[in-house]
Amino acid sequence: MKDWRRTHYSGEITPEMEGSEVVVAGWIHEVRDLGGVAFVVLRDREGKAQITIPKKKVPEELAEKMTSLVRESVVMVRGNIQKDERAPGNFELIPNDMKILSESKTPLPMDVSGKVNAELDTRLNSRYMDLRKPEINAIFKIRSVALTEVRNYLESQGYIEITTPKMVATATEGGTDLFPISYFEKEAFLNQSPQLFKQIMMASGLDKVYEIGPIFRAEEHDTNRHLNESISIDIESAFSDHNDVMKLLEEMIHHVTKNVEERCQSELRALEHNLIVPETPFERIKYEEAIDIAGDHGVEVVWGDDIPTAGEKAVGEEIGTYYYIVDWPSEIKPFYALPEPENQELSRAFDLMHPRFELSSGAQRVHKIKLLEKRMLNQDLDPEDFEFYLNAFRYGMPPHAGWGVGAERLLMALTGKKNIREVTLFPRDRNRLTP
Ligand code: AMO
């Protein structure tokens, strides 16, 4: 009995291995029968391997079986390596045997050869097939490296990974955008942010925590940068202020970008994306300056209003790289953002902007319970609903600060993709709940 086990990915085979027998496994990308010779291109995770079938040398039955293969079927091929400068990877395989593992149906739901462009909706409906394209699976290889580097960086800075509940009884970021669920006889919701839990952790003595986990937002809007289920990278740091965590954030963005640039060269090439590693520190622009720049571009923003997308775009175009917006009016930032002690109208909240979108927001937090309760009441929130949170502030709560970064938006920045659905395996949006 022959051992049918993959010995090599296509990318591991080199012309110097000429003469040796290998077993490759993957999908049938292309079959070309030229009469005296036929070519079958097999595609796997690492690239493509050309299988060349000289009809005179290969047993007739095998040649017949290989040339009648249906595209996208899954096979294993045992063959001998031969140098060939015209083939991908500069080698070809002369087959000795083949095993069909799974035959594909026809017609295919979409083309994966890159010759015909499918609509995003069609692609997302057949995501398993869309992902067979190298320029699509490159996105998710980059995602894996990026999240590993986020962890590496935060761990190197003394952060401890935590996971907090996603089924909760109260809103975090304001009450309207919640998905209700039934929790036995009680009303419950999917959590919008780990905000309250990560702040509670600041009273635990662990000091520096991070979480990479899902957040759920029942926002109705349908844009190219919002999802209803998203992955958030959150940190919280005790004995720190807003400046400390802004420095951490820009250093993390630098670290992750640099490592993706170094470790994902073939993926970035597949995406045709020229990734620029940003220099630190990032420019800090005051809210007041940002609304002035927006005004110069015809987007009028009244002091105290949020900056609309058109305003963000105008400022982003002017700056051209990452930048912070600081000194936000206190009234438009959440109750947990600390007002500037010397000027309560302004807060110690910040947004980190990519030229095309908001990447993160954060703040130094209110850690004194009296002020926290006062700010809740000012924002029409009932402190009684937040007792589990407020208790953590009653028995020794250090000053603290933190931020949240949308993982998909970080991936948009790293890959140059313009639509958040492109960088999400199975996006959840206003119209999409399957697959
Ligand atoms: P905020 O609500 O600004 O702040 O969210 C932080 C970051 O998360 C990402 N994000 C989203 N990405 C895709 N779709 C969405 N619907 C979506 N909502 C948010 C964005 C955003 O900048 N608790 C605070 C963070 C903190 O202060 O620590 C918070 O959640 O990239």
Side-chain angles (χ1 to χ4, degrees):
M1 271 288 275
K2 280 188 203 152
D3 188 11
W4 277 106
R5 209 176 281 275
R6 171 181 7 225
T7 62
H8 292 81
Y9 281 109
S10 63
E12 294 167 339
I13 302 173
T14 61
E16 290 70 45
M17 292 159 70
E18 183 161 56
S20 44
E21 192 187 64
V22 291
V23 178
V24 291
W27 287 258
I28 297 299
H29 188 68
E30 203 180 323
V31 180
R32 268 180 301 143
D33 193 347
L34 306 180
V37 64
F39 300 100
V40 172
V41 179
L42 177 139
R43 194 187 59 241
D44 66 12
R45 196 177 82 169
E46 310 287 316
K48 292 186 188 119
Q50 175 179 297
I51 298 147
T52 303
I53 308 157
K55 301 273 177 76
K56 283 198 183 126
K57 290 193 193 149
V58 172
E60 200 180 324
E61 197 191 336
L62 178 60
E64 173 68 20
K65 205 165 131 190
M66 292 198 81
T67 49
S68 51
L69 280 167
V70 176
R71 264 175 54 206
E72 297 307 318
S73 297
V74 179
V75 301
M76 276 189 155
V77 176
R78 179 188 303 280
N80 286 93
I81 300 167
Q82 195 162 291
K83 277 187 198 158
D84 188 322
E85 280 170 9
R86 294 158 300 180
N90 299 325
F91 72 89
E92 59 186 11
L93 293 180
I94 309 298
N96 299 322
D97 204 355
M98 177 188 72
K99 193 172 169 168
I100 301 179
L101 301 180
S102 168
E103 206 157 350
S104 174
K105 208 178 117 178
T106 51
L108 300 173
M110 58 176 285
D111 176 60
V112 292
S113 70
K115 286 175 192 138
V116 188
N117 275 337
E119 293 286 326
L120 185 57
D121 255 339
T122 312
R123 292 175 38 210
L124 292 174
N125 287 340
S126 301
R127 196 54 149 159
Y128 57 92
M129 184 145 282
D130 185 42
L131 285 158
R132 293 182 194 178
K133 292 185 275 186
E135 70 276 22
I136 307 297
N137 71 43
I139 297 170
F140 298 94
K141 289 180 187 163
I142 291 175
R143 181 182 193 274
S144 179
V145 170
L147 291 184
T148 302
E149 292 300 340
V150 164
R151 286 199 165 86
N152 286 348
Y153 184 73
L154 292 175
E155 295 276 340
S156 80
Q157 300 302 306
Y159 283 75
I160 292 165
E161 182 163 7
I162 59 166
T163 300
T164 62
K166 304 306 155 204
M167 296 194 286
V168 295
T170 40
T172 316
E173 307 286 323
T176 52
D177 300 332
L178 287 160
F179 283 114
I181 54 171
S182 75
Y183 193 82
F184 305 110
E185 64 284 355
K186 288 201 181 85
E187 183 186 45
F189 306 96
L190 293 176
N191 206 7
Q192 298 164 301
S193 160
Q195 184 66 35
L196 305 183
F197 295 106
K198 65 179 183 172
Q199 281 195 265
I200 291 175
M201 290 305 290
M202 296 300 96
S204 74
L206 286 181
D207 278 9
K208 291 170 192 281
V209 300
Y210 74 100
E211 173 162 10
I212 303 179
I215 58 169
F216 303 91
R217 306 223 169 157
E219 295 156 350
E220 291 271 354
H221 45 220
D222 184 11
T223 77
N224 61 12
R225 50 186 210 294
H226 285 96
L227 293 168
N228 294 109
E229 176 176 344
S230 158
I231 298 293
S232 175
I233 304 162
D234 273 272
I235 69 113
E236 203 65 26
S237 175
F239 307 98
S240 298
D241 66 14
H242 53 315
N243 287 314
D244 296 327
V245 294
M246 277 195 272
K247 183 161 189 303
L248 179 87
L249 178 53
E250 64 199 3
E251 292 300 332
M252 184 186 87
I253 299 294
H254 176 84
H255 172 94
V256 171
T257 313
K258 184 164 169 284
N259 278 276
V260 165
E261 201 264 330
E262 285 170 11
R263 293 179 55 191
C264 301
Q265 293 188 3
S266 68
E267 287 77 17
L268 290 167
R269 254 198 316 278
L271 285 165
E272 296 177 6
H273 182 54
N274 179 23
L275 181 60
I276 313 266
V277 180
E279 280 179 27
T280 56
F282 299 159
E283 199 172 332
R284 282 140 172 82
I285 293 180
K286 295 189 165 89
Y287 165 84
E288 200 172 82
E289 293 166 337
I291 63 173
D292 278 351
I293 298 175
D296 292 344
H297 290 77
V299 186
E300 294 306 326
V301 186
V302 180
W303 200 96
D305 280 354
D306 218 338
I307 304 177
T309 312
E312 284 179 5
K313 288 231 166 87
V315 185
E317 265 167 37
E318 184 137 332
I319 312 251
T321 180
Y322 292 102
Y323 64 99
Y324 282 110
I325 304 181
V326 298
D327 288 355
W328 286 83
S330 289
E331 63 188 59
I332 50 169
K333 282 295 177 184
F335 65 84
Y336 51 75
L338 181 69
E340 194 55 64
E342 305 294 312
N343 177 4
Q344 304 269 327
E345 274 210 330
L346 298 183
S347 92
R348 290 197 170 177
F350 55 86
D351 280 0
L352 172 62
M353 307 299 298
H354 177 271
R356 288 187 281 116
F357 46 79
E358 176 200 304
L359 181 61
S360 173
S361 38
Q364 181 173 346
R365 322 298 190 183
V366 179
H367 72 282
K368 296 200 167 129
I369 189 157
K370 285 257 152 40
L371 179 57
L372 198 51
E373 286 172 328
K374 190 172 136 207
R375 280 186 57 82
M376 281 181 169
L377 290 168
N378 281 345
Q379 299 196 358
D380 290 330
L381 295 168
D382 184 355
E384 278 188 17
D385 293 339
F386 291 83
E387 272 303 287
F388 75 99
Y389 167 72
L390 291 172
N391 276 336
F393 292 73
R394 291 195 168 103
Y395 309 97
M397 171 61 92
H400 58 278
W403 42 252
V405 170
E408 295 84 3
R409 295 206 189 163
L410 176 60
L411 206 57
M412 285 167 80
L414 294 170
T415 59
K417 291 287 169 199
K418 303 268 159 51
N419 189 330
I420 197 162
R421 292 162 188 81
E422 290 269 3
V423 300
T424 311
L425 275 180
F426 302 107
R428 292 289 173 261
D429 65 21
R430 187 70 187 80
N431 305 307
R432 186 172 278 281
L433 191 57
T434 47

